[in-house]
Amino acid sequence: MAEIIQKDGSWTFDGDTVRIVPGRDKGVGLLRQQLGEVAVPLRAIGGISYEPGRKAGRLRLRLRDGADPLLQVTGGRLPESSDPYRLSVESDRAGVAEYFVDEVRHALLLEQVDPGPSDAYLLPGPAVPISVGAGDGTAAFDGDRVVLDWNWTTEEAKASGGPREFRVADVRAVEWSPSKGLENGWLRFTLAGAPPAPAPKYDPCTVELFGFKKDPLMALVAAAVAVRMPHPAAPAPVQAETAAPLPLADAAPALAGEPADHDTLLRRLRELGELHQSGILTAEEFSAAKAAILGGF
């Protein structure tokens, strides 16, 4: 087992999982404190590195694209103090950090982990229920329903409609964006069939963020919702071809006249099985056609 303990937090690796526990140092952001312990399976890791520095170095864990719902919704826009996959390492512990890196890299090579993008979430996301108040409202999520409630800073046009509630099944996209310069940030939900969204201050499905300390916590709500939605890189579901059921006379060979050869009969049996599995033929139709084919052997 490899382990490194710092004021910024502690990381341990047992060969299968990197466990990250945030520290209590003042430099640890609210998001990391709220998120708590993170267990990163080896198959979710794309790489690891140690960056030495004069006073302190940086231990960084790089996850595969699409493996973590939090990184998916934040898109690299989290401030360093909120990044759970970065650990500040004191200079006299550089050797321990380098050993930790070697152990994880060795395991990645041994298990031949694909460092490329993932088409499924490999981390469970933040625990629910979760409720965060920041910007012009409060966002709460219980694993099924999202509730947005407003405060005294909310624009009247948005607050007049009262709290907004919707199910995660109705959400088509969730987006978190931090404040930047004079531009406010937001936590935005796009619902199925909704018209183009207005500006965040007027949108009843968006919490507007003003750049205060609690803003990053809204990313936890976004991640908790996103992990319960279809993964953006998941393969598209295969649509069953719609076709009229074959008449039984066509599905089975004619019993009168010249008999079909055995290869043809076997091929037709396979076709019948596929038609039955796809729901095109009922159980009764399948049994009758199968009996007719077997009679030709």
Side-chain angles (χ1 to χ4, degrees):
M1 175 180 287
E3 181 178 45
I4 181 167
I5 301 174
Q6 294 290 279
K7 293 179 181 178
D8 202 25
S10 63
W11 289 18
T12 59
F13 178 58
D14 60 5
D16 295 314
T17 304
V18 174
R19 296 193 178 276
I20 298 173
V21 179
R24 299 183 180 276
D25 189 68
K26 63 181 180 180
V28 178
L30 287 178
L31 184 147
R32 290 172 61 194
Q33 296 175 24
Q34 180 84 9
L35 183 60
E37 180 178 330
V38 179
V40 184
L42 188 66
R43 62 195 178 102
I45 299 174
I48 187 171
S49 63
Y50 174 66
E51 304 162 0
R54 278 188 177 181
K55 295 183 178 180
R58 293 281 191 277
L59 190 58
R60 295 185 184 272
L61 192 66
R62 182 178 65 81
L63 271 60
R64 295 170 59 191
D65 290 342
D68 180 21
L70 177 61
L71 297 185
Q72 182 71 30
V73 297
T74 54
R77 292 167 294 184
L78 277 176
E80 282 219 346
S81 63
S82 297
D83 185 354
Y85 306 114
R86 176 199 60 82
L87 182 70
S88 181
V89 179
E90 297 170 4
S91 56
D92 62 348
R93 304 297 287 172
V96 178
E98 290 170 350
Y99 172 74
F100 194 98
V101 168
D102 289 342
E103 287 294 292
V104 175
R105 285 179 176 170
H106 178 72
L108 290 171
L109 288 173
L110 190 65
E111 296 297 327
Q112 296 184 338
V113 175
D114 180 4
S118 172
D119 60 3
Y121 291 123
L122 304 178
L123 278 80
V128 294
I130 184 171
S131 179
V132 174
D136 71 349
T138 297
F141 180 53
D142 63 4
D144 179 47
R145 294 185 179 275
V146 178
V147 178
L148 305 181
D149 204 356
W150 315 114
N151 59 35
W152 65 273
T153 65
T154 310
E155 186 73 20
E156 178 62 26
K158 180 160 70 173
S160 61
R164 187 67 191 270
E165 181 176 341
F166 43 86
R167 299 187 65 182
V168 67
D170 298 323
V171 178
R172 291 296 171 266
V174 57
E175 178 188 9
W176 174 86
S177 181
S179 300
K180 187 176 181 180
L182 298 178
E183 182 181 349
N184 291 337
W186 60 79
L187 169 64
R188 172 180 289 138
F189 298 92
T190 302
L191 304 185
K201 67 187 301 183
Y202 301 115
D203 185 2
C205 291
T206 300
V207 177
E208 187 178 30
L209 304 175
F210 306 137
F212 296 137
K213 190 175 181 180
K214 289 187 176 182
D215 283 10
L217 295 182
M218 282 293 182
L220 296 179
V221 180
V225 173
V227 77
R228 290 164 174 82
M229 296 170 58
H231 193 283
V238 178
Q239 298 293 331
E241 294 183 4
T242 56
L246 292 177
L248 295 184
D250 294 335
L255 298 181
E258 186 177 342
D261 61 76
H262 280 199
D263 288 341
T264 300
L265 294 173
L266 289 172
R267 177 176 57 81
R268 290 182 178 175
L269 273 177
R270 286 195 297 270
E271 291 172 351
L272 274 179
E274 293 171 358
L275 290 171
H276 176 51
Q277 289 180 357
S278 64
I280 295 175
L281 286 180
T282 66
E284 292 77 10
E285 291 170 335
F286 171 67
S287 297
K290 176 181 172 184
I293 290 177
L294 291 176
F297 277 92

